[in-house]
Amino acid sequence: MNCQALIEKFVNDRHETIVNQLGQLLITKELKLVDFIISIGDYLQSIELSKRSLALTLVANVVEYLPNTFLEPNEIHHLVVFTSAKMSDHHVLIQSCVQLFRILAKQSAINDDDCITMIKSIFSDVYVQSFPQGSRYNVFVILLHFLLHRLDVVQQLGSDFVCNFIQSMDGERDPRNLVLCFQCLQYMTKYLDIEPYKEELFEIVACYFPMEYKPKVTNIGTEETVTQEQLVLALRNILTSTGKFAQYCIPMLIEKLESDIPSARLAAMDVFIHCIDEYDARDMSSYLVQLWNLFSKQALCAENQEIEICALQSITALMQSIGKSIQNDETEISTKKLVDRAIRECGNFLKEFDLKLAWPAVKVLQAVGRANSTCSSLIWSNLIPSLIKQFNTLEQANHRRTILDMITYFLQPTAIRTIIKLPSNVSDELWILLSTHFESFPSHCLPLISNLLQLNSIPGQVLEDNLTKFILHANLNDELKIKLSTVLKILASSPTFDRICTNLLSNLINSWTGTKTTPSNETLECCIDLCHNSERCRERLERFFFPSQQFIRLLPNLFKYLSHLYILTNLFSPLFDLLLTSIVNDEYTKIFCSKCGSIADESCKTFVQNFYETNLFDDSIWQSDKQTNLLVMIYFIGNLKRKFFQHELELIFNKINEKIFNQSSNEMTDIYFYFYGNLINKLASKNEILEHARSIIKQCETSPDEKHIHLWTIIVKALILYRPSFIEQYIPTLILWMNEKTNIANLACQSLKSLTNFNEQTLLLSSDADCIIHPMVKQIMFMNILSQMKPLLINNELLPSQMNVLVDLLSNVPKSIIQDDIISLLPILIRALAPSNESAWPSALNSISDLIKSEPNSIVDHIDTLFPRLITLATYQKDMSIRITSLKCLKYLTNLPTHKIEPYRRNIIHLLKVCVGDHKRLVRKEAVETQMSWCLLNA
Amino acid sequence: MELSSGPQNLNPTIYERTEDRIIQESDYDNDVRDEIDRREIFDLIRSINDPEHPLTLEELHVVDLDGITIDNQTNTVQVQFRPTIPHCSMATLIGLSIRAKLLYTLPTRYKVGVNIFEGAHIQESQINKQLNDKERVTAALENQHLRAVVNRCITTSES
């Protein structure tokens, strides 16, 4: 079919495939563009408006089909000239013209003059706001394209472009177009001369502030929608893009800050916080006091935390902006003047601690202080001495505590604190205060000490004595321990406090060497805290502790401060000898060995080789009395990196094969099997190892007893972690075992449980031990297991152990995977709450509680069975977490329609009378909340 | 009792809330018995809303920890509260709200007494008498209108 015929067909039938055919002809050069235009010429000049329009649309669509490097400059030129002539022809044609322009603008060969023609034509002939959204969108796309890619051309047009753009955009309401407009404006304020039209430009943007837009809920999920955040951000970026807007923007922000609508105030503060990079304090000099008043009012009487945080940030921003400008005490642009005002206005509130305004005032003053170093010094030197004076005159302990907390809050570290110094008189006064009152208020003094130390304020001798006494004699609770540890770590980290640190360490060590007693764990932990310093750690360790067995246990904490080389060369051999002779099987040993293994690199090849050859391959070590030594080795070797020790690991795998299987069953068998799994996982990329693993799995399947099922599980898990799709082959076997009527069913359930439990990874099958773990292992596993287990799940005659493991499985599966299935599985969950399934209760209750919370209505059909069970479990004496979760479920159930739950109300309120008298406080707390929900059901 | 007239204390003093109770390790041990203590009673009533202001009784200092006594041997609880002004007409309603909240949430074994701090109200003795008369309290809570007002006071944001 020739070109003419195709065109006719399009005009008559509007067949869309014709566009593709014509485009293809042009690309393959079977048709020339000129010939195409000549062929369509009659239609383009037809006296019928609809035909002209259709012909133009066809041209636009065909050109769109072509790649954007296809057209020659002269072709583009003629098309541009022709299209701009058509613009003034008839308004109906304009939409097609704009479409064609959009495509031509993106052609890479377009020259500058054509760009200018196009822009001028758009601005003179197109009354943008009278067109539908699509065409307006096209116009803005063209303009944004030029701003982004042909800025030089746009700059030639100068501020005319700005003026015309303002006219085009005026009155735009569609969010999709607004996003584009805002982008254009951002470029314009940055690269074009907006000076003559800055007020108009501001007005056109300001009318959208504050942006309140809620996206419509569309049924088509894939459709891209503009979000509120996108618009808010775009609008904020323009308002804060140039200091030229300051004179208009600040009054607008003030107006919004004075309004009653919290969202408007929040938006105004958000803009202010971001505008200080561009706006100069001189531009807003006449508004500074007014802004301060508004912000401090917001912060002092904030309705919610969001407003409070925003207001405090605004105060800091205001002070920073003044700090950046040239100070002049004659005008309001003076840090000192504004800080004085802040102290005058808020300082009084600090004297009335019981009042609600005391803490907001502290926060406001701290927000002023954190702006820059001048503000900090002024605030500190004004407020802290008077607070100290107040402290000394007050009698009540809780008032004194509040003052300590306030000082701590003022001195809390912020981003700028590293460069400023606390005035020395303030610092001295504080240290005196701390030394006198440390014993009475340790919990409040410790945070203050850490803040002071972080400001590099040097404490006196008294601190050491106080701390030593405190560590050795005080009965430390968890909260105090954390605070103390922070102080000690700060002391350890800085060279400034080296003397104090050394003295403290000596004091502590003397305390037990002098009296020849055993130090308490707390004291040891404090000593370790004092070694937290990458440069001094080694020295301190060697000087004070080595060799001491107690410290070996705590050493893993310090590993990050010691260089690998140091550990490899100095710690390995003596420590391992020590460990081999004296260790006991505990968590610390495992962690210690695994850390050693994980840092071993190529430089320790010889050590590793000697180590396993002399130890692991020695038959005597496999005897039962030396098993702890074996454990050390297993954890060490299990953590070696594949990258450096592939060959060694393979060697070990082949050698210990026999040894592991010849072992008689004992409590260590489990760890041997995991070690074996660890090696298989690390070497699974080698075919012979994979085959070997598979043959062992087969062997286990032929004689399924406890030992073999256990080994089967571990090897399968090692393989699944490497490649999750392997699970498909093994699940049928597991299901077969689970349906057996013997003990095998229970073992298989246990096996499924450990296969699907990813939360409690054993040390030897985890990424920490450098095992290969597929990133999607959870998703692939659960999808596979669930699809194969479905029939089993809906089976009504589940054994208790099966029920238990399946319910567990459900609570382990990520919610997104079972979202659709969970409702169909609800009957099983409820059945799991029956008295016979005690062990399944926690998991089932958690799943049900999540479900009721997120979708209460899904449970409506089951409330008849669910209520009695929850009522029984709410008084289950053996486990308080079950009572708490049941009460939570009962509380969430009050969200169901009242007529559904009303019949149960009396009964439940009666039951809850028992629960509010529970012997555990946490249960009572939950019971009270539940009781109130039920009592006030209709209130 | 007049409920419709405007607030009497237009500008009450507002106080800082006390910190939430810190949960200890032993709180999670099912075998340890946690006796109900003063603080727990305080936690029950601190969040009751004032009938006139959008503030809690704790923020207005109407109730505080010192005003509560509990004896687990004799199973008695005594709560003393302090109206913000001595002629406050809401005192009875506040007392009734405290009674109602404790009635709903305390184990039934406790005998509860709610009184005004000595000298904190001009009609102290009458109000105390009303509040501790079991029949009158029951009758008041059966009155639909009054119950709605009390319920509004004891509804906390969590429930």
Side-chain angles (χ1 to χ4, degrees), chain A residues 354-356 478 877-880 883 913 916-917 919-922 924 928 931-932 935-936 939, chain B residues 13-16 21 25-30 32-36 40 59 103-105 107 151 155:
Chain A
D354 286 339
L355 298 190
K356 220 179 179 179
D478 288 348
Q877 282 308 313
K878 284 189 199 159
D879 187 345
M880 62 184 281
R883 299 204 292 279
K913 287 256 181 252
V916 292
H919 72 279
K920 290 308 296 177
R921 186 171 294 123
L922 293 176
R924 290 199 293 266
V928 163
Q931 176 79 306
M932 289 311 291
C935 285
L936 303 175
Chain B
T13 317
I14 305 165
Y15 294 80
E16 187 67 24
R21 188 183 191 124
E25 216 165 280
S26 63
D27 287 346
Y28 294 103
D29 185 352
N30 196 31
V32 178
R33 188 178 185 84
D34 308 328
E35 288 293 347
I36 298 185
E40 198 168 334
E59 285 166 322
L103 186 73
Y104 291 148
T105 55
N151 281 349
T155 308

Side-chain angles (χ1 to χ4, degrees), chain A residues 435-436 438-439 442 461-476 484 488 503-504 507-508 511 523 526:
Chain A
S435 57
T436 5
F438 184 82
E439 273 174 37
Q461 166 82 32
V462 196
L463 179 74
E464 292 154 32
D465 301 342
N466 275 334
L467 283 177
T468 316
K469 222 185 287 169
F470 184 62
I471 294 168
L472 293 175
H473 302 299
N475 192 5
L476 303 179
L484 177 66
L488 295 178
N503 289 349
L504 255 175
N507 287 349
L508 291 177
S511 77
T523 322
C526 289

Side-chain angles (χ1 to χ4, degrees), chain A residues 259-271:
Chain A
S259 86
D260 292 334
I261 308 158
S263 62
R265 280 180 273 144
L266 267 175
M269 289 190 276
D270 185 43
V271 170

Side-chain angles (χ1 to χ4, degrees), chain A residues 400-402 404-405 408 434 441-449 480 483:
Chain A
R400 290 181 144 197
R401 280 192 205 107
T402 315
L404 285 175
D405 285 345
T408 312
L434 281 169
F441 311 103
S443 154
H444 297 261
C445 286
L446 284 171
L448 181 53
I449 294 177
L480 276 176
K483 289 177 179 171

